[in-house]
Amino acid sequence: MRKIMFLLMLFAWSFIISPTPIAEASSTEFQKSVIVKYPTETSKQIIIQNADAVIEEFEHLPMVAVKISNERLKNLKSEGHIEFYEENQQFTLQNQFKVANLSSAELERWNLKAMDVQNGWSHGYTGKGVKIAIIDSGVANHSDLTIAGGKSFVGESYDDDHGHGTHVAGIIAGKHNGVGVAGVAPNADVYAVKAIKSDGVGDVRVVLQAIDWAIDNHMDIINLSFGDLEYAKSLHEGIKKASEHGLLIVAASGNEGNDNGTGNTINYPARHEEVISVTSINRYFKRSSFSGTGDTNDFAAPGEEIYSTYLNGQYATYNGTSMATPHITGMLALLMEQYPYATPTELREGLRYIAEDLGDVGLDALYGYGLPKYRLPNFQVVEGFLNSGLSAEALNKKIDSMPDSIEKLALKNEQNKAEQTVIKEIDQLLGTLEKEPTEQLWNELQALLAKLVAADVKEQKQKEADAVIERLLEPATNAVRTFTKNKTVYNYKKAEVELNKLPSLNKKKDLEETLNVALKEFAKNAIDSLAQFEKNPTKNQYSYTNFSINSLPDSKIKTELLEKLAKQVQTAVKTAKTNIAAYEKVQTLKNYNKAVKAIQSVFDEKQRELLEKRIQKTVNNNTAKAKTRVANYEKKKTKANRNLAMKLVQELPNGKEKQQLLKRLK
């Protein structure tokens, strides 16, 4: 009984002394280390602010790895700041290997002969210039390997301390130096991207870091000789982003297969459509019993008894789809060098064109499309197409309709090459156009854009051209907007100067129309004044109208208004000239007064001055004649002389001089 009581007391005491440990356990129990995909940069910052710790931010992937409480995670998801989240997953390399020393010559390996890669080497194609990221356990220093660079995400160095990554590297790029092993693409630039630790264990988060690095460093191909049967959405997102950036991703189908080849046993990420999935065959071109099977298998490659580089300067023989994968990676590098203008999609299709069917006809679950074997195109066929004289668009349609073949890939490459030449010219022209937007350059740009065949490329380049035009239009747009708000001569001239800098564009025409509408509003006072003058042509109205019109900026509207005003003036001038001519013909006071009245209706000072000078000339002549007749009368005062003189004097304009002459005749 005493023992029972002691145990009960001890049990009760445990509740008293244990609250703090339980609370600590509770605070950590609901924290998760997760990979989160966010929809926007703003959401990313909100996630980071709410996280207990940020484990990793990615440069090109819209994801972040954080440590965060379960409650906050759910809240952020419900608020739309998280598209999805998942816990980090681990995977383990699967392989069978043994250190080996084979005596056969490096170029005589069965796996190399199986793929006829010597055909590429003999024509100078060795993968030169192609950048390959081997995301694996690193690559060890080896006399048969040259590593272009790399990065470790599981330690300080990308040096291999497992052996798997070094073996993969030798299959891809082992030197052709007469000893050891020969790689499929010996001159490819291979990068050791270490994401798997020495025990062969890796995880999704670290692989995402490696993929992010590959994107950032402009790799051409990623080799993933590992995988897992478990689906990781975050890894798929990383794969999709790499594919969007134009990287080819090659992955092992996995060693989860069975002897019967039944079921879908392909690993992730090889199952994804963005990935080229590789299954393994033996030297008899039969599927390896361990090789993964399923509808997403793409190609088969040698994966048994594969001799390649290993740790400590040694060589080893491995079995596995991990070994089959780098064969396809190397083959892609050869094709990429030979067809540098082919798109990733076209290169992937190119593998299909050269694949030897091994299983059921066409694509099958055991071998995919079969085993790619390096083959050169029939150059006569290629040249025949290129020299057909067809337009680029017609040639494109003809190539698309031709049967799948390596010649088709070669033609696509040549077509893309021509397209790239046009694209380069467009890019150069866009740069020049932005600095010097002339009509000629604009017309040249339109002609180049019309030459593009690929719809997506054409659309992209048109967008770039539109962006340049928008930047060119911005000063003119702002100037027109300023004039519409503040209608001054200076603002109009500024807008006109900016518009005159632009080539012929639809948007330029729209701006010109907007400017013209605003100018009409600005000219309304002058227009109304002219209309008033036409109805009531007074001197004051003329002066005001003339001032209003000349206050406008030089423009079509101003010219039109001045022409209308000038027409009114010319009508008055014409009338005055007619009356002056009548006076000149019949020099009577009545005709004079009529002419003077007509001259007074001419409100243009210059025109009136000319008319006044003309009539004054006649007046002066008549006055001189009258003075002569008056002088004659004064010398010989006869009635006849007086009548002659009086007749001339009376027809003179009224004035002081006329009065003086009349006094002399009294």
Side-chain angles (χ1 to χ4, degrees), residues 249-320:
I249 304 112
V250 189
S253 67
N255 303 336
E256 311 284 353
N258 53 63
D259 290 343
N260 296 325
T262 56
N264 189 354
T265 56
I266 297 176
N267 281 350
Y268 293 100
R271 283 198 200 192
H272 300 311
E273 63 178 347
E274 298 85 5
V275 176
I276 298 172
S277 174
V278 187
T279 188
S280 170
I281 58 171
N282 59 27
R283 64 174 59 245
Y284 305 107
F285 299 92
K286 298 296 182 182
R287 169 188 164 269
S288 301
S289 60
F290 54 78
S291 190
T293 56
D295 293 340
T296 53
N297 258 334
D298 290 302
F299 298 101
E304 291 191 44
E305 303 175 73
I306 306 302
Y307 184 73
S308 187
T309 47
Y310 190 58
L311 304 179
N312 303 315
Q314 296 177 302
Y315 298 89
T317 300
Y318 269 69
N319 294 333

Side-chain angles (χ1 to χ4, degrees), residues 101-109 112 142-144 170 174-183 307-309 313-315:
N101 290 301
L102 300 183
S103 58
S104 61
E106 63 167 1
L107 303 181
E108 298 299 316
R109 311 289 182 217
L112 300 178
H142 198 289
S143 60
D144 232 355
K175 295 178 183 177
H176 290 193
N177 53 9
V179 296
V181 63
Y307 184 73
S308 187
T309 47
Q314 296 177 302
Y315 298 89

Side-chain angles (χ1 to χ4, degrees), residues 475-605:
T477 302
N478 291 337
V480 170
R481 188 180 296 118
T482 298
F483 176 70
T484 58
K485 292 180 179 178
N486 185 16
K487 298 177 181 67
T488 66
V489 172
Y490 173 81
N491 286 342
Y492 177 83
K493 287 181 177 179
K494 177 69 174 174
E496 192 175 42
V497 167
E498 293 298 338
L499 282 168
N500 287 337
K501 292 178 182 178
L502 299 173
S504 297
L505 303 165
N506 288 332
K507 289 188 177 180
K508 177 187 177 182
K509 293 175 183 176
D510 293 341
L511 285 173
E512 288 173 332
E513 180 60 30
T514 301
L515 184 65
N516 194 47
V517 169
L519 181 60
K520 284 181 179 178
E521 293 174 3
F522 186 36
K524 187 176 186 303
N525 186 51
I527 293 169
D528 292 346
S529 179
L530 178 60
Q532 187 65 30
F533 174 70
E534 289 172 340
K535 291 179 181 178
N536 184 25
T538 67
K539 185 176 182 180
N540 287 340
Q541 188 63 42
Y542 171 81
S543 298
Y544 183 72
T545 302
N546 190 48
F547 172 77
S548 298
I549 294 173
N550 282 294
S551 296
L552 297 175
D554 293 338
S555 59
K556 186 178 179 182
I557 291 176
K558 180 179 181 179
T559 301
E560 289 174 353
L561 291 175
L562 285 173
E563 286 175 354
K564 285 183 178 180
L565 183 61
K567 188 176 181 181
Q568 289 293 108
V569 171
Q570 289 305 316
T571 300
V573 168
K574 186 177 180 181
T575 302
K577 284 181 176 179
T578 301
N579 289 333
I580 291 170
Y583 172 62
E584 289 170 338
K585 188 175 182 181
V586 180
Q587 296 156 1
T588 64
L589 181 59
K590 181 179 179 182
N591 284 348
Y592 170 79
N593 288 334
K594 192 175 181 181
V596 167
K597 186 177 181 182
I599 291 171
Q600 289 172 346
S601 296
V602 176
F603 304 120
D604 183 279
E605 292 181 5

